Amino acid sequence: MNIDSIRSVAVLGLGTMGHGIAQTFALAGYQVQGYDEHPAARANLHERIRKNLDAFVASGLLPSSAVEPALQRIKACDTEQAAVNGVQFVTEAVAEDLNVKQALFARLEPLVGDDTILASNSSSFPISQSGVNLKWPERAVVTHWFNPPHLVPLVEVVPGPQTAEGTTLATMALMQHIGKHPLRLRKELPGFLVNRIQVAIMREVWDLLEQGVASADEIDAALRTSVGFRLAAVGPLEVHDFGGLDIQTTVFRNLAPEIRSNVEVPKLVADLVAQGHLGAKTGRGFQEYPPAKIAERQQRRDRLFLALIKLLYADSIKGDVG
Ligand SMILES: NC(=O)c1ccc[n+]([C@@H]2O[C@H](COP(=O)([O-])OP(=O)(O)OC[C@H]3O[C@@H](n4cnc5c(N)ncnc54)[C@H](O)[C@@H]3O)[C@@H](O)[C@H]2O)c1
């Protein structure tokens, strides 16, 4: 598959990730056919994307003339079959359930052309697992986007042992063409690269909270104003190089035995989940979330992400007005 022959894409699952993925392809000029098993997700797809695009325009990253053409390139289809009909690239962003993804790929294969690439946006399942039922696993690959997908530049591209080189190369080229900063992993492994690191941070952050070392607010502020501030500009290995590997290895030896290595979810977090406190969506997680606070935090988050994009990755927002 050559990138020039990719003109239309299908996005299956139009939730948190799928709608932003659809938006990104459409902004770059691709025809997008979307499907979600929940009618509401299909019905409000354009409204959600319009809101995102309006924020792009308000931040000066996109000309207002690019909004309507992008929206017109997106079609919400009534069936899975209609969504994948005639497309050259499919990405699934359905629930993170291995059985659901395996069944979906098995259903899709007879519905698409021989050359159509099938991509999975799984957060953890390698394509050799989710695509296990495929007759032609050569055509399948993981493209792991980050939330919000229309804002975060990285997409991890993770071929499995049976993925054809042509599939990986075309997928990398496609991701670059739509403005993403794709990283091809050299080895297939669960959680890929970034989520493994994020889980390592999660484990320690939860442990420090459980130990009462600082409040949730304080931990968030500490990370934002130190590691987060630094990582936006300089990668961790470069930080180590400039810190000096003699010092860094001493720090590692001193602290590695001290930090949490337990694989159980800490009791503090397990209890919150058992009580139904799942975060913003239930009004309480580590903090309380009255509805006004949710809207305010999300708007603040997107405003800051857009400012960061403007500063560091302005080239990642495409705006095909054709
Ligand atoms: N949310 C994140 O931060 C994030 C980041 C990277 C990757 N992912 C991965 O992306 C995928 C989607 O996650 P999300 O956060 O968008 O979830 P979500 O729950 O917001 O959206 C999933 C959507 O898929 C639909 N759906 C479920 N099964 C379907 C099916 N068989 N056919 C069609 N539609 C179906 C649901 O109705 C829902 O609208 C998951 O694999 C997840 O692990 C999520």
Side-chain angles (χ1 to χ4, degrees):
M1 169 65 71
N2 187 307
I3 183 183
D4 294 335
S5 38
I6 302 178
R7 292 171 310 281
S8 57
V9 305
V11 180
L12 305 176
L14 301 169
T16 306
M17 298 302 291
H19 89 284
I21 293 172
Q23 167 184 330
T24 307
F25 278 113
L27 259 189
Y30 291 92
Q31 297 296 326
V32 180
Q33 298 174 175
Y35 173 73
D36 194 292
E37 64 182 12
H38 281 141
R42 307 198 294 266
N44 64 24
L45 175 66
H46 286 80
E47 186 187 318
R48 285 180 288 150
I49 293 177
R50 182 184 292 280
K51 214 169 133 208
N52 295 339
L53 293 175
D54 286 347
F56 279 17
V57 172
S59 71
L61 279 160
L62 191 70
S64 55
S65 56
V67 172
E68 290 307 325
L71 288 167
Q72 278 165 21
R73 281 192 284 269
I74 300 170
K75 186 175 171 202
C77 300
D78 289 338
T79 63
E80 185 176 282
Q81 191 160 1
V84 300
N85 184 34
V87 304
Q88 295 80 36
F89 190 91
V90 180
T91 186
E92 69 78 19
V94 302
E96 185 74 353
D97 177 320
L98 189 55
N99 291 328
V100 170
K101 291 192 193 289
Q102 287 177 342
L104 177 70
F105 279 133
R107 279 199 308 281
L108 291 183
E109 201 168 31
L111 302 176
V112 298
D114 289 350
D115 275 355
T116 299
I117 293 175
L118 300 178
S120 170
N121 182 47
S122 169
S123 308
S124 54
F125 303 123
I127 200 68
S128 56
Q129 282 181 25
S130 56
V132 72
N133 295 325
L134 289 172
K135 287 202 181 76
W136 303 102
E138 296 87 344
R139 60 161 70 198
V141 67
V142 160
T143 51
H144 179 225
W145 300 56
F146 292 80
N147 187 31
H150 48 286
L151 294 174
V152 182
L154 179 69
V155 175
E156 290 177 300
V157 175
V158 193
Q162 293 178 285
T163 307
E165 182 63 9
T167 299
T168 308
L169 292 178
T171 302
M172 287 292 292
L174 181 63
M175 293 300 122
Q176 267 153 3
H177 188 69
I178 62 175
K180 289 294 158 188
H181 289 229
L183 172 73
R184 174 184 181 162
L185 296 202
R186 298 172 188 191
K187 183 178 170 182
E188 184 193 69
L189 71 181
F192 320 124
L193 187 147
V194 174
N195 276 356
R196 295 171 79 97
I197 297 166
Q198 294 204 120
V199 169
I201 294 174
M202 194 189 296
R203 173 156 65 184
E204 191 56 22
V205 162
W206 286 356
D207 186 61
L208 291 167
L209 183 66
E210 185 167 64
Q211 286 191 52
V213 176
S215 70
D217 249 349
E218 289 166 339
I219 291 175
D220 279 353
L223 270 281
R224 275 193 285 110
T225 53
S226 60
V227 177
F229 177 85
R230 203 157 59 183
L231 286 185
V234 187
L237 296 172
E238 192 176 340
V239 167
H240 303 158
D241 268 346
F242 276 85
L245 297 185
D246 47 345
I247 295 166
Q248 303 294 339
T249 48
T250 303
V251 171
F252 184 92
R253 280 196 200 96
N254 288 346
L255 291 188
E258 298 293 329
I259 63 175
R260 189 182 168 100
S261 57
N262 193 330
V263 296
E264 298 300 321
V265 172
K267 184 172 181 320
L268 172 91
V269 186
D271 285 352
L272 282 173
V273 173
Q275 290 157 20
H277 300 313
L278 307 181
K281 65 183 169 188
T282 59
R284 183 176 158 195
F286 294 117
Q287 298 189 21
E288 303 281 344
Y289 292 95
K293 182 171 167 185
I294 297 175
E296 182 256 314
R297 287 294 164 104
Q298 281 176 342
Q299 279 162 14
R300 179 179 181 280
R301 179 198 74 173
D302 287 358
R303 205 174 53 245
L304 292 176
F305 281 158
L306 284 164
L308 262 184
I309 287 184
K310 242 173 138 171
L311 189 65
L312 298 172
Y313 302 104
D315 66 329
S316 73
I317 305 292
K318 300 290 173 193
D320 191 322
V321 291

PDB file of all heavy atoms in Angstrom, residues 82-100:
ATOM      1  N   ALA A  82     -20.987  -0.092   6.136  1.00  0.00           N
ATOM      2  CA  ALA A  82     -20.979   1.144   5.334  1.00  0.00           C
ATOM      3  C   ALA A  82     -19.736   1.972   5.648  1.00  0.00           C
ATOM      4  O   ALA A  82     -19.160   2.611   4.764  1.00  0.00           O
ATOM      5  CB  ALA A  82     -22.246   1.952   5.620  1.00  0.00           C
ATOM      6  N   ALA A  83     -19.315   1.955   6.899  1.00  0.00           N
ATOM      7  CA  ALA A  83     -18.171   2.783   7.301  1.00  0.00           C
ATOM      8  C   ALA A  83     -16.875   2.327   6.629  1.00  0.00           C
ATOM      9  O   ALA A  83     -16.040   3.143   6.270  1.00  0.00           O
ATOM     10  CB  ALA A  83     -18.016   2.763   8.819  1.00  0.00           C
ATOM     11  N   VAL A  84     -16.711   1.016   6.484  1.00  0.00           N
ATOM     12  CA  VAL A  84     -15.432   0.545   5.924  1.00  0.00           C
ATOM     13  C   VAL A  84     -15.485   0.377   4.400  1.00  0.00           C
ATOM     14  O   VAL A  84     -14.464   0.083   3.774  1.00  0.00           O
ATOM     15  CB  VAL A  84     -14.957  -0.782   6.582  1.00  0.00           C
ATOM     16  CG1 VAL A  84     -14.759  -0.582   8.075  1.00  0.00           C
ATOM     17  CG2 VAL A  84     -15.902  -1.937   6.307  1.00  0.00           C
ATOM     18  N   ASN A  85     -16.660   0.614   3.837  1.00  0.00           N
ATOM     19  CA  ASN A  85     -16.824   0.417   2.411  1.00  0.00           C
ATOM     20  C   ASN A  85     -15.924   1.376   1.598  1.00  0.00           C
ATOM     21  O   ASN A  85     -16.033   2.585   1.734  1.00  0.00           O
ATOM     22  CB  ASN A  85     -18.296   0.640   2.023  1.00  0.00           C
ATOM     23  CG  ASN A  85     -18.538   0.348   0.559  1.00  0.00           C
ATOM     24  OD1 ASN A  85     -17.902  -0.538  -0.015  1.00  0.00           O
ATOM     25  ND2 ASN A  85     -19.416   1.119  -0.056  1.00  0.00           N
ATOM     26  N   GLY A  86     -15.035   0.816   0.808  1.00  0.00           N
ATOM     27  CA  GLY A  86     -14.218   1.608  -0.124  1.00  0.00           C
ATOM     28  C   GLY A  86     -13.053   2.353   0.499  1.00  0.00           C
ATOM     29  O   GLY A  86     -12.376   3.101  -0.208  1.00  0.00           O
ATOM     30  N   VAL A  87     -12.794   2.172   1.797  1.00  0.00           N
ATOM     31  CA  VAL A  87     -11.686   2.929   2.399  1.00  0.00           C
ATOM     32  C   VAL A  87     -10.365   2.158   2.262  1.00  0.00           C
ATOM     33  O   VAL A  87     -10.364   0.945   2.090  1.00  0.00           O
ATOM     34  CB  VAL A  87     -11.929   3.259   3.898  1.00  0.00           C
ATOM     35  CG1 VAL A  87     -13.242   4.003   4.081  1.00  0.00           C
ATOM     36  CG2 VAL A  87     -11.884   2.005   4.761  1.00  0.00           C
ATOM     37  N   GLN A  88      -9.271   2.898   2.366  1.00  0.00           N
ATOM     38  CA  GLN A  88      -7.948   2.262   2.243  1.00  0.00           C
ATOM     39  C   GLN A  88      -7.253   2.094   3.594  1.00  0.00           C
ATOM     40  O   GLN A  88      -6.211   1.459   3.684  1.00  0.00           O
ATOM     41  CB  GLN A  88      -7.051   3.091   1.315  1.00  0.00           C
ATOM     42  CG  GLN A  88      -7.522   3.167  -0.120  1.00  0.00           C
ATOM     43  CD  GLN A  88      -8.628   4.185  -0.333  1.00  0.00           C
ATOM     44  OE1 GLN A  88      -8.638   5.241   0.282  1.00  0.00           O
ATOM     45  NE2 GLN A  88      -9.584   3.842  -1.181  1.00  0.00           N
ATOM     46  N   PHE A  89      -7.832   2.723   4.629  1.00  0.00           N
ATOM     47  CA  PHE A  89      -7.216   2.632   5.970  1.00  0.00           C
ATOM     48  C   PHE A  89      -8.347   2.631   6.991  1.00  0.00           C
ATOM     49  O   PHE A  89      -9.250   3.467   6.929  1.00  0.00           O
ATOM     50  CB  PHE A  89      -6.304   3.849   6.196  1.00  0.00           C
ATOM     51  CG  PHE A  89      -5.442   3.764   7.430  1.00  0.00           C
ATOM     52  CD1 PHE A  89      -4.159   3.212   7.377  1.00  0.00           C
ATOM     53  CD2 PHE A  89      -5.898   4.235   8.654  1.00  0.00           C
ATOM     54  CE1 PHE A  89      -3.351   3.143   8.510  1.00  0.00           C
ATOM     55  CE2 PHE A  89      -5.102   4.168   9.788  1.00  0.00           C
ATOM     56  CZ  PHE A  89      -3.820   3.627   9.721  1.00  0.00           C
ATOM     57  N   VAL A  90      -8.301   1.656   7.897  1.00  0.00           N
ATOM     58  CA  VAL A  90      -9.319   1.581   8.964  1.00  0.00           C
ATOM     59  C   VAL A  90      -8.605   1.680  10.293  1.00  0.00           C
ATOM     60  O   VAL A  90      -7.573   1.016  10.503  1.00  0.00           O
ATOM     61  CB  VAL A  90     -10.061   0.214   8.943  1.00  0.00           C
ATOM     62  CG1 VAL A  90     -11.106   0.154  10.064  1.00  0.00           C
ATOM     63  CG2 VAL A  90     -10.702  -0.041   7.596  1.00  0.00           C
ATOM     64  N   THR A  91      -9.122   2.502  11.202  1.00  0.00           N
ATOM     65  CA  THR A  91      -8.593   2.430  12.553  1.00  0.00           C
ATOM     66  C   THR A  91      -9.744   2.158  13.517  1.00  0.00           C
ATOM     67  O   THR A  91     -10.810   2.752  13.410  1.00  0.00           O
ATOM     68  CB  THR A  91      -7.803   3.692  12.961  1.00  0.00           C
ATOM     69  OG1 THR A  91      -7.218   3.457  14.233  1.00  0.00           O
ATOM     70  CG2 THR A  91      -8.652   4.924  13.054  1.00  0.00           C
ATOM     71  N   GLU A  92      -9.504   1.211  14.404  1.00  0.00           N
ATOM     72  CA  GLU A  92     -10.535   0.945  15.403  1.00  0.00           C
ATOM     73  C   GLU A  92     -10.176   1.694  16.675  1.00  0.00           C
ATOM     74  O   GLU A  92      -8.989   1.784  17.037  1.00  0.00           O
ATOM     75  CB  GLU A  92     -10.712  -0.561  15.655  1.00  0.00           C
ATOM     76  CG  GLU A  92      -9.562  -1.281  16.353  1.00  0.00           C
ATOM     77  CD  GLU A  92      -9.492  -1.064  17.856  1.00  0.00           C
ATOM     78  OE1 GLU A  92     -10.497  -0.654  18.440  1.00  0.00           O
ATOM     79  OE2 GLU A  92      -8.410  -1.277  18.437  1.00  0.00           O
ATOM     80  N   ALA A  93     -11.214   2.258  17.320  1.00  0.00           N
ATOM     81  CA  ALA A  93     -11.031   2.904  18.627  1.00  0.00           C
ATOM     82  C   ALA A  93     -12.227   2.502  19.488  1.00  0.00           C
ATOM     83  O   ALA A  93     -12.888   3.334  20.100  1.00  0.00           O
ATOM     84  CB  ALA A  93     -10.931   4.415  18.478  1.00  0.00           C
ATOM     85  N   VAL A  94     -12.529   1.178  19.469  1.00  0.00           N
ATOM     86  CA  VAL A  94     -13.650   0.658  20.270  1.00  0.00           C
ATOM     87  C   VAL A  94     -13.125   0.325  21.666  1.00  0.00           C
ATOM     88  O   VAL A  94     -11.967   0.600  21.990  1.00  0.00           O
ATOM     89  CB  VAL A  94     -14.310  -0.566  19.593  1.00  0.00           C
ATOM     90  CG1 VAL A  94     -14.809  -0.204  18.182  1.00  0.00           C
ATOM     91  CG2 VAL A  94     -13.374  -1.760  19.531  1.00  0.00           C
ATOM     92  N   ALA A  95     -13.974  -0.293  22.467  1.00  0.00           N
ATOM     93  CA  ALA A  95     -13.620  -0.564  23.862  1.00  0.00           C
ATOM     94  C   ALA A  95     -12.323  -1.379  23.978  1.00  0.00           C
ATOM     95  O   ALA A  95     -11.997  -2.180  23.094  1.00  0.00           O
ATOM     96  CB  ALA A  95     -14.767  -1.321  24.516  1.00  0.00           C
ATOM     97  N   GLU A  96     -11.595  -1.173  25.089  1.00  0.00           N
ATOM     98  CA  GLU A  96     -10.330  -1.890  25.316  1.00  0.00           C
ATOM     99  C   GLU A  96     -10.640  -3.295  25.843  1.00  0.00           C
ATOM    100  O   GLU A  96     -10.402  -3.623  27.009  1.00  0.00           O
ATOM    101  CB  GLU A  96      -9.450  -1.099  26.296  1.00  0.00           C
ATOM    102  CG  GLU A  96      -8.063  -1.665  26.527  1.00  0.00           C
ATOM    103  CD  GLU A  96      -7.100  -1.449  25.358  1.00  0.00           C
ATOM    104  OE1 GLU A  96      -7.515  -0.970  24.304  1.00  0.00           O
ATOM    105  OE2 GLU A  96      -5.921  -1.790  25.528  1.00  0.00           O
ATOM    106  N   ASP A  97     -11.201  -4.116  24.966  1.00  0.00           N
ATOM    107  CA  ASP A  97     -11.598  -5.472  25.334  1.00  0.00           C
ATOM    108  C   ASP A  97     -11.072  -6.374  24.213  1.00  0.00           C
ATOM    109  O   ASP A  97     -11.460  -6.216  23.044  1.00  0.00           O
ATOM    110  CB  ASP A  97     -13.137  -5.523  25.440  1.00  0.00           C
ATOM    111  CG  ASP A  97     -13.668  -6.914  25.738  1.00  0.00           C
ATOM    112  OD1 ASP A  97     -13.137  -7.886  25.169  1.00  0.00           O
ATOM    113  OD2 ASP A  97     -14.640  -7.016  26.507  1.00  0.00           O
ATOM    114  N   LEU A  98     -10.195  -7.302  24.570  1.00  0.00           N
ATOM    115  CA  LEU A  98      -9.518  -8.101  23.551  1.00  0.00           C
ATOM    116  C   LEU A  98     -10.516  -8.874  22.689  1.00  0.00           C
ATOM    117  O   LEU A  98     -10.371  -8.936  21.462  1.00  0.00           O
ATOM    118  CB  LEU A  98      -8.509  -9.053  24.215  1.00  0.00           C
ATOM    119  CG  LEU A  98      -7.584  -9.802  23.272  1.00  0.00           C
ATOM    120  CD1 LEU A  98      -6.804  -8.851  22.352  1.00  0.00           C
ATOM    121  CD2 LEU A  98      -6.616 -10.685  24.054  1.00  0.00           C
ATOM    122  N   ASN A  99     -11.558  -9.447  23.323  1.00  0.00           N
ATOM    123  CA  ASN A  99     -12.534 -10.221  22.545  1.00  0.00           C
ATOM    124  C   ASN A  99     -13.252  -9.333  21.531  1.00  0.00           C
ATOM    125  O   ASN A  99     -13.501  -9.738  20.394  1.00  0.00           O
ATOM    126  CB  ASN A  99     -13.576 -10.875  23.469  1.00  0.00           C
ATOM    127  CG  ASN A  99     -12.943 -11.966  24.297  1.00  0.00           C
ATOM    128  OD1 ASN A  99     -12.018 -12.631  23.841  1.00  0.00           O
ATOM    129  ND2 ASN A  99     -13.408 -12.132  25.528  1.00  0.00           N
ATOM    130  N   VAL A 100     -13.597  -8.114  21.974  1.00  0.00           N
ATOM    131  CA  VAL A 100     -14.305  -7.182  21.081  1.00  0.00           C
ATOM    132  C   VAL A 100     -13.409  -6.828  19.889  1.00  0.00           C
ATOM    133  O   VAL A 100     -13.850  -6.843  18.734  1.00  0.00           O
ATOM    134  CB  VAL A 100     -14.722  -5.904  21.858  1.00  0.00           C
ATOM    135  CG1 VAL A 100     -15.236  -4.825  20.904  1.00  0.00           C
ATOM    136  CG2 VAL A 100     -15.781  -6.243  22.900  1.00  0.00           C
TER     137      VAL A 100
END
